[in-house]
mmCIF file of all heavy atoms in Angstrom:
data_model
loop_
_atom_site.group_PDB
_atom_site.id
_atom_site.type_symbol
_atom_site.label_atom_id
_atom_site.label_comp_id
_atom_site.label_asym_id
_atom_site.label_seq_id
_atom_site.Cartn_x
_atom_site.Cartn_y
_atom_site.Cartn_z
ATOM 1 N N LYS A 58 114.052 96.263 91.742
ATOM 2 C CA LYS A 58 115.074 96.876 92.611
ATOM 3 C C LYS A 58 114.690 96.802 94.091
ATOM 4 O O LYS A 58 115.476 96.348 94.923
ATOM 5 C CB LYS A 58 115.289 98.360 92.217
ATOM 6 C CG LYS A 58 115.705 98.560 90.771
ATOM 7 C CD LYS A 58 115.888 100.032 90.444
ATOM 8 C CE LYS A 58 114.630 100.896 90.571
ATOM 9 N NZ LYS A 58 113.540 100.557 89.642
ATOM 10 N N THR A 59 113.483 97.261 94.399
ATOM 11 C CA THR A 59 113.052 97.272 95.804
ATOM 12 C C THR A 59 112.944 95.858 96.356
ATOM 13 O O THR A 59 113.338 95.588 97.500
ATOM 14 C CB THR A 59 111.709 98.023 95.939
ATOM 15 O OG1 THR A 59 111.926 99.383 95.565
ATOM 16 C CG2 THR A 59 111.164 97.983 97.356
ATOM 17 N N GLN A 97 111.848 102.654 100.361
ATOM 18 C CA GLN A 97 111.291 103.526 99.323
ATOM 19 C C GLN A 97 110.080 104.291 99.852
ATOM 20 O O GLN A 97 109.874 105.444 99.497
ATOM 21 C CB GLN A 97 110.919 102.697 98.097
ATOM 22 C CG GLN A 97 110.443 103.557 96.937
ATOM 23 C CD GLN A 97 110.344 102.796 95.637
ATOM 24 O OE1 GLN A 97 110.554 101.578 95.593
ATOM 25 N NE2 GLN A 97 110.024 103.488 94.572
ATOM 26 N N ASP A 173 116.989 103.164 99.235
ATOM 27 C CA ASP A 173 116.099 102.910 98.100
ATOM 28 C C ASP A 173 115.497 104.235 97.623
ATOM 29 O O ASP A 173 114.588 104.760 98.245
ATOM 30 C CB ASP A 173 115.001 101.925 98.528
ATOM 31 C CG ASP A 173 114.320 101.262 97.332
ATOM 32 O OD1 ASP A 173 114.617 101.646 96.178
ATOM 33 O OD2 ASP A 173 113.490 100.348 97.560
ATOM 34 N N GLU A 174 116.040 104.758 96.550
ATOM 35 C CA GLU A 174 115.636 106.050 95.983
ATOM 36 C C GLU A 174 115.648 107.181 97.021
ATOM 37 O O GLU A 174 114.632 107.825 97.282
ATOM 38 C CB GLU A 174 114.267 105.924 95.302
ATOM 39 C CG GLU A 174 114.332 104.882 94.195
ATOM 40 C CD GLU A 174 113.191 104.990 93.196
ATOM 41 O OE1 GLU A 174 112.590 106.068 93.087
ATOM 42 O OE2 GLU A 174 112.938 103.993 92.515
HETATM 43 MG MG1 MG B 318 111.411 100.448 94.029
#
Side-chain angles (χ1 to χ4, degrees):
K58 302 180 297 296
T59 296
Q97 185 168 4
D173 199 354
E174 301 198 22

